[in-house]
Amino acid sequence: ISGSPVIVEGHTGEYRWGSRFSVYTGLPSVIGWSWHVRQHNPLIDGAIIDKLIDEVNNFYNSGDNQIAKQFLDKYQVQYIIVGDLERAYYDASGLNKFQEMVKQGGLRIVFGDNSPNTTTIFEVVEVIK
């Protein structure tokens, strides 16, 4: 990957496996490790960070493609991570929307095969408003 594209990945409580891609790659994510974000931004109201976490959770859980597209546009996300963590934490009906978005041409699979046995990375090709 060239540059610093924004990614979105599942969020977990501290000392779990959330934010694993942003931690190991240094790529910016919509919300990183919660405690780290709070430590490095002590002047930001914690409610703002909680809202980001809620938005990530809603993005993954919602089956509504329009909500997903609005989220991707708002945070300028270029890559979406769906792996074992996201399958464990989020609703399957919400995760299934990504395959529909591939069929519509808004996403493309750049890694994995979108099966339960692999991590799949989707690239945002087009965000329809």
Side-chain angles (χ1 to χ4, degrees):
I1 294 176
S2 62
S4 295
V6 176
I7 64 172
V8 62
E9 60 186 315
H11 185 272
T12 65
E14 276 65 53
Y15 304 103
R16 304 234 180 226
W17 204 226
S19 303
R20 66 220 185 270
F21 280 81
S22 61
V23 166
Y24 286 105
T25 65
L27 291 173
S29 64
V30 175
I31 184 72
W33 187 49
S34 178
W35 183 239
H36 185 256
V37 173
R38 293 172 200 274
Q39 285 178 315
H40 286 266
N41 301 291
L43 300 178
I44 293 178
D45 183 349
I48 293 171
I49 296 166
D50 292 338
K51 183 177 185 287
L52 283 171
I53 293 167
D54 289 344
E55 288 185 41
V56 167
N57 291 338
N58 187 50
F59 167 74
Y60 277 107
N61 280 324
S62 173
D64 187 327
N65 291 9
Q66 194 58 37
I67 289 173
K69 291 172 186 176
Q70 289 169 353
F71 175 90
L72 295 170
D73 185 46
K74 179 178 181 178
Y75 293 106
Q76 300 176 357
V77 172
Q78 292 178 308
Y79 293 95
I80 302 164
I81 311 297
V82 177
D84 290 341
L85 182 137
E86 288 76 17
R87 287 186 205 93
Y89 275 75
Y90 300 109
D91 202 18
S93 63
L95 298 177
N96 290 337
K97 73 177 164 289
F98 300 127
Q99 189 58 45
E100 183 60 32
M101 293 171 78
V102 168
K103 290 178 187 174
Q104 294 172 351
L107 301 178
R108 72 181 177 104
I109 296 173
V110 293
F111 180 83
D113 62 8
N114 201 29
S115 74
N117 300 323
T118 185
T119 294
T120 300
I121 301 175
F122 299 91
E123 181 180 20
V124 178
V125 177
E126 175 185 346
V127 177
I128 302 166
K129 296 180 181 174

